[in-house]
Amino acid sequence: MTPRAATAFGVRFMGCAMAWALCAIPLTAQAHKPSDSYLTLTVGEAGRIGVNWHVALRDLDNELALDANDDGRLTWGEVRGRWPDMRRFVQAHLRLVHGGEACLSLPDDAGANPPALIEHTDGRYAVFAWSQQCAQAPGHAWTGVTLGYSLFALTDPTHRGIVRWRWQTAGSAPQEMGVVVLGAHRASHAQTWSPPAQADGAAPDTPRAQMSSTAPVRDAATGPQPVASSSLSPWTQVQRTVRDGIEHISAGADHILFLVLLLLVSVWQRQGAPGKHSHGRRPMADWSPRGHWRGALGEVLRLVTAFTVAHSITLGLATFGVLSPPSRWVESLIALSVLVAAVDNLWPILRAPRWAVVFGFGLVHGFGFAGAMQDLGLSAQDLAWPLLGFNLGVELGQLALVALVLPLCFALRRTAFYRLGVVLPGSVAIGLMAWVWLVERSTDRVILGWGG
């Protein structure tokens, strides 16, 4: 290659890599787990409602700029100093209404609800707690309330509020009434319950909860439905979490890019033993196009099956609480898996068959998928069918990606454009993003904010 040709190639390569990076950055604007908050509303007697709300510090930082010295790390001093601002912000985005009148926030007892943090599967959350009093006419049963939810509605349309409803009478343990997911597509919810039966001198029974929505019920174009509970049929529970799985895989840029890297070279086959004679050679020198579509389809089936079986195992184990590794390490290993896949596209560094390596990485990705299920607050007996639906949703999302990408890759597999304009810059760009994710997630620092 002449110096002029080498320069021209370098310019084209850098241009393609830049284009790939610019296309991929919007995908990574979100961390792998979408923005969630966890709101528990405990309905008591005489119109009293207890509020306990967990809101991610990273989301509050985006809204309120909590990081005073802008060093990419939030300290307890920075958080505690802005606690009144944070509390006012979240309270302004919660509205409870009963009988046409807004329920009023009650003043806190001194020291009853001090600033506190809690760890969820995707990081630290601020814990806000207070009580609200709803107007109740004397002699009328306390049977329902309407919730309006607008947290981050203007800045993050993908944000979800996972709301647990409970009932508690004096001297008794809280009883679960249901779980509902709110967000930009469904901003309000009417929670009603039947008055508890009460015999003379006996404690009241747990009320029968009834859920209705003041927004359209979720279908193909609207927002989330209440999460399944044991009172619903298995088919209904599966249906209602299938879309959650699809949405989760579509929002997980690291999972998507990992699969894309595998699909890019599934239409090629590697010549020679993996891991040998790779040093000093041109990138992708070991790859040659497959002669028939059956070979590419067989390779994809092996990879997708290995990934599916692996992540299903750890998704189930993590969701039921059998294994729960630290979130930081899980997210860091997911980023590492993307980086390794990108490098292996260019030079053969993996000695084992690709499907076996993908199985190992799939075990790690399953723990990442589990975060969306673990924080729903469902009891163990209510998890089986929602877990099946969620996993089916993840698989449908993966199959949609395969159906979209694989035919294009196969059609272009023999062209120089595909080799030098798609796979080479694409693998480099995704590898660079994965390296940024790995550093950000393992050190808990923000470098470029690409979803780490």
Side-chain angles (χ1 to χ4, degrees):
M1 182 180 291
T2 65
R4 178 175 295 179
T7 302
F9 171 76
V11 171
R12 288 196 298 270
F13 169 74
M14 290 304 296
C16 290
M18 291 279 292
W20 262 89
L22 290 174
C23 289
I25 285 173
L27 288 174
T28 61
Q30 302 240 4
H32 137 259
K33 184 175 183 294
S35 168
D36 293 332
S37 78
Y38 305 96
L39 174 62
T40 300
L41 297 174
T42 303
V43 178
E45 299 171 305
R48 181 71 64 90
I49 298 179
V51 179
N52 188 280
W53 202 350
H54 299 181
V55 183
L57 281 180
R58 64 175 183 274
D59 295 334
L60 291 168
D61 183 33
N62 289 337
E63 290 284 342
L64 302 175
L66 305 179
D67 187 6
N69 57 5
D70 200 25
D71 63 349
R73 297 180 69 102
L74 281 178
T75 66
W76 175 238
E78 290 171 329
V79 171
R80 189 179 182 88
R82 296 292 303 280
W83 197 266
D85 297 332
M86 296 159 57
R87 183 183 175 92
R88 282 192 294 269
F89 175 78
V90 299
Q91 285 184 323
H93 291 88
L94 177 71
R95 179 176 171 83
L96 294 169
V97 178
H98 172 67
E101 296 186 30
C103 304
L104 303 178
S105 298
L106 299 176
D108 287 336
D109 296 332
N113 298 303
L117 302 179
I118 192 170
E119 194 78 18
H120 281 268
T121 58
D122 58 335
R124 291 180 299 170
Y125 282 60
V127 179
F128 303 99
W130 70 91
S131 295
Q132 296 202 201
Q133 179 66 51
C134 302
Q136 184 178 5
H140 287 72
W142 169 231
T143 59
V145 69
T146 299
L147 166 65
Y149 185 98
S150 60
L151 187 65
F152 308 127
L154 297 179
T155 55
D156 186 358
T158 67
H159 171 79
R160 306 185 308 169
I162 300 172
V163 185
R164 298 176 62 188
W165 291 90
R166 305 192 303 177
W167 169 272
Q168 184 175 27
T169 56
S172 65
Q175 302 292 324
E176 301 292 332
M177 291 197 294
V179 182
V180 65
V181 182
L182 301 180
H185 297 293
R186 184 182 180 187
S188 60
H189 169 75
Q191 176 73 32
T192 60
W193 53 87
S194 301
Q198 185 174 5
D200 293 339
D205 295 333
T206 301
R208 293 189 304 250
Q210 301 170 349
M211 291 189 176
S212 61
S213 173
T214 55
V217 175
R218 171 176 172 175
D219 55 23
T222 55
Q225 291 184 2
V227 173
S229 67
S230 57
S231 63
L232 301 174
S233 69
W235 174 241
T236 301
Q237 295 182 49
V238 169
Q239 280 184 307
R240 291 184 172 184
T241 49
V242 163
R243 182 154 179 172
D244 288 334
I246 296 174
E247 291 175 346
H248 187 77
I249 187 69
S250 64
D254 42 13
H255 300 305
I256 290 176
L257 294 180
F258 179 74
L259 292 172
V260 167
L261 287 168
L262 300 179
L263 293 173
L264 285 176
V265 295
S266 65
V267 297
W268 292 342
Q269 55 189 349
R270 184 159 265 161
Q271 307 297 322
K276 293 183 179 180
H277 312 299
S278 60
H279 298 291
R281 301 189 64 177
R282 291 182 296 109
M284 306 179 298
D286 301 277
W287 291 112
S288 63
R290 294 183 183 272
H292 199 274
W293 65 266
R294 289 192 183 91
L297 184 59
E299 175 69 4
V300 170
L301 287 176
R302 285 190 292 271
L303 296 177
V304 171
T305 300
F307 188 69
T308 296
V309 171
H311 77 63
S312 297
I313 292 172
T314 47
L315 172 60
L317 291 175
T319 300
F320 284 100
V322 179
L323 291 174
S324 185
S327 173
R328 176 184 293 185
W329 293 110
V330 170
E331 298 300 324
S332 299
L333 288 174
I334 290 174
L336 179 62
S337 73
V338 179
L339 178 59
V340 170
V343 174
D344 190 65
N345 278 6
L346 305 177
W347 295 282
I349 62 173
L350 301 176
R351 297 181 179 273
R354 264 207 156 195
W355 68 264
V357 176
V358 168
F359 181 87
F361 286 150
L363 294 173
V364 178
H365 283 248
F367 287 117
F369 290 140
M373 291 294 297
Q374 287 176 314
D375 292 319
L376 287 179
L378 296 177
S379 58
Q381 60 266 28
D382 290 336
L383 273 173
W385 292 112
L387 176 60
L388 175 61
F390 183 84
N391 205 31
L392 286 175
V394 170
E395 305 320 315
L396 289 174
Q398 291 179 173
L399 291 176
L401 180 65
V402 171
L404 177 66
V405 174
L406 184 60
L408 295 174
C409 295
F410 187 79
L412 298 172
R413 73 193 187 284
R414 297 184 186 275
T415 65
F417 167 74
Y418 184 68
R419 181 177 291 267
L420 301 179
V422 177
V423 180
L424 179 58
S427 298
V428 171
I430 295 173
L432 289 174
M433 283 188 290
W435 178 81
V436 173
W437 285 337
L438 178 59
V439 174
E440 289 187 335
R441 295 175 182 185
S442 60
T443 63
D444 197 24
R445 290 180 178 273
V446 176
I447 298 176
L448 296 176
W450 287 357

